[in-house]
Amino acid sequence: MQDVLIVVFDGVQSLDVTGPLEVFAGANVGVPGSYRTRIGSVGKRAVVTSSGLTVLPDVDLAEVTHADLIVIPGGAGTRHGQDDVARWLRERAGTARRIMAVCTGAFILGDAGLLDGRQATTHWDHCAALARQHRTTRVDPEPIFVRDGNIATSAGVTAGIDLALALVEEDLGRRTALQIARHLVMFLKRPGGQRQFSVQLRAQLAERDPVREIQQYIMEHPDADLTMKALADRARLSERQFSRSFTKEVGVPPGRYVDQARLEAARRRLEDTRDGIEQVARACGYGTPEAMRRAFVKELGVAPLDYRERFRCAS
C-alpha cells in the first residue's frame, strides 16, 4: 500500500484535489489496498476551495512524517502565497518517493526550492510568471505534464488526472489505468508531450478576420495545398505580409501551425476511426505514411500505429 497525501489550503482548486483523488480511489477498486489517500492541511483546518466547496482534512500536516506521494494542487490560493505549506514541503520532501503538483501548485514547489534546476510546467496562463519567479527552473508551456526525476508538474485542472493516471500505470500497469479511465469516461491518458493548447484553441487567439478564416481553413482542410503562397493568396496578402500578420496574432509561423493542425487531425483520426495508416496520411496532408511517421516520432516520440494502440478511445 502506498501512502498518498493531498495537501489543501484556502482557495485551492477543487478539481485539482478531487481529480487525482478519484483516480487513486479507482485504483483501489481494481487492485484493493493499492493506495491509502489522506487529505491534509496546516493545523488540520477546514479549507474553502475557490468554488466555495468546504473540505475537512483527515490530518494535520505537522503530524505527517512520511508519504510515498505528496500531491500539491493549484488554485487561486497559490497567488497569495502558501509560505507555511512551502516550508512544510521543504522539510518533508526528502521523505517522499514522488511529489506531484497540479496546475499552479508548481509555484508552491518552486517556493520550496524543489524546482531549482529542473524542468517543469503549469497552466499555460501562468508559465511566464513561474519562469520569472523561479529563474533556474526550465518552464515549458507546451506539455500537459512534465516529469523530472521524482518531481512531476502538470498543466491546468484536468491534466492532474492525466498525470495521476500515468503514475497509476507506472505502479499497477496499463490494464488498471485503462479500467480507471473507462470508469471516468476518458482516454487512458493523454501523452505527457501533448500540447496544452490545441490547434482549435489557438484559432480563438487571432483578432483579424483574414487570419481567423485561414486558421479555420487549415483545420478543415489539412489535405489541401497549405504552402505559404497558397495561404497568402487565399488571405489576399503578400507572402511577407501574411507571414508577419499570422505569426504576430497566432504566436507561431504559418508553416508550424500547419504542421500542428495536420498532426492533430491525424491524432483524432487514429483515436476515433478505423481508417488505415495510408488513408489517414492522405486525408491529413502527409502524402505518405512515412512522412506521417516522421512527424509523429518527432513531435510525440511514438509512431502512428503505437499511438493508436495506446491512445485510441475505448468504445
Side-chain angles (χ1 to χ4, degrees), residues 32-77:
S34 300
Y35 298 97
R36 180 179 72 149
T37 305
R38 295 177 293 168
I39 296 178
S41 70
V42 174
K44 200 180 175 181
R45 294 194 300 266
V47 304
V48 179
T49 72
S50 57
S51 60
L53 179 70
T54 299
V55 178
L56 301 177
D58 305 303
V59 64
D60 182 350
L61 291 181
E63 299 173 356
V64 178
T65 59
H66 169 78
D68 295 291
L69 171 64
I70 297 175
V71 180
I72 306 294

Side-chain angles (χ1 to χ4, degrees), residues 250-270:
V250 180
V252 293
R256 178 61 176 157
Y257 189 86
V258 168
D259 291 342
Q260 292 173 355
R262 284 176 167 159
L263 183 68
E264 191 163 309
R267 282 183 32 249
R268 289 199 305 271
R269 281 181 174 264
L270 290 171

Side-chain angles (χ1 to χ4, degrees), residues 3 6 25 32 48 50 58 80 88 93 125 137 181 188 196 224 235 253 278 282-283 290:
D3 277 309
I6 302 177
V48 179
S50 57
D58 305 303
H80 309 299
W88 173 87
D125 200 30
T137 302
L188 166 58
Q196 297 187 36
E278 186 172 350
R282 286 199 308 270
E290 176 58 24

Side-chain angles (χ1 to χ4, degrees), residues 112-281:
L114 302 185
L115 298 184
D116 294 348
R118 293 182 184 267
Q119 185 177 3
T121 193
T122 187
H123 188 287
W124 61 267
D125 200 30
H126 299 280
C127 283
L130 183 65
R132 284 195 306 270
Q133 293 182 30
H134 303 285
R135 296 188 178 278
T136 66
T137 302
R138 302 186 303 278
V139 180
D140 189 344
E142 291 284 349
I144 59 172
F145 64 81
V146 169
R147 299 184 66 180
D148 189 331
N150 71 328
I151 303 293
T153 51
S154 68
V157 195
T158 58
I161 298 176
D162 293 289
L163 177 52
L165 281 170
L167 298 182
V168 169
E169 182 178 8
E170 178 181 290
D171 294 340
L172 304 177
R174 183 172 183 269
R175 183 182 297 275
T176 299
L178 179 57
Q179 290 173 344
I180 300 168
R182 283 174 172 166
H183 178 70
L184 297 176
V185 194
M186 61 182 293
F187 297 126
L188 166 58
K189 68 178 181 68
R190 292 176 291 177
Q194 185 168 319
R195 293 178 179 83
Q196 297 187 36
F197 248 4
S198 69
V199 175
Q200 288 93 332
L201 287 177
R202 285 188 186 277
Q204 299 176 29
L205 297 182
E207 296 180 359
R208 299 177 59 197
D209 287 340
V211 177
R212 283 202 305 271
E213 290 169 2
I214 292 298
Q215 288 177 292
Q216 189 67 30
Y217 179 78
I218 291 170
M219 289 188 294
E220 293 177 352
H221 304 88
D223 59 335
D225 179 0
L226 302 180
T227 60
M228 179 75 76
K229 182 179 185 307
L231 295 176
D233 288 347
R234 177 169 286 274
R236 298 180 181 178
L237 296 169
S238 70
E239 291 186 42
R240 183 177 180 181
Q241 288 175 315
F242 173 71
S243 178
R244 184 169 59 246
S245 297
F246 192 101
T247 303
K248 179 180 179 181
E249 295 205 27
V250 180
V252 293
R256 178 61 176 157
Y257 189 86
V258 168
D259 291 342
Q260 292 173 355
R262 284 176 167 159
L263 183 68
E264 191 163 309
R267 282 183 32 249
R268 289 199 305 271
R269 281 181 174 264
L270 290 171
E271 292 167 357
D272 300 336
T273 76
R274 296 184 182 274
D275 293 348
I277 296 298
E278 186 172 350
Q279 185 178 358
V280 172

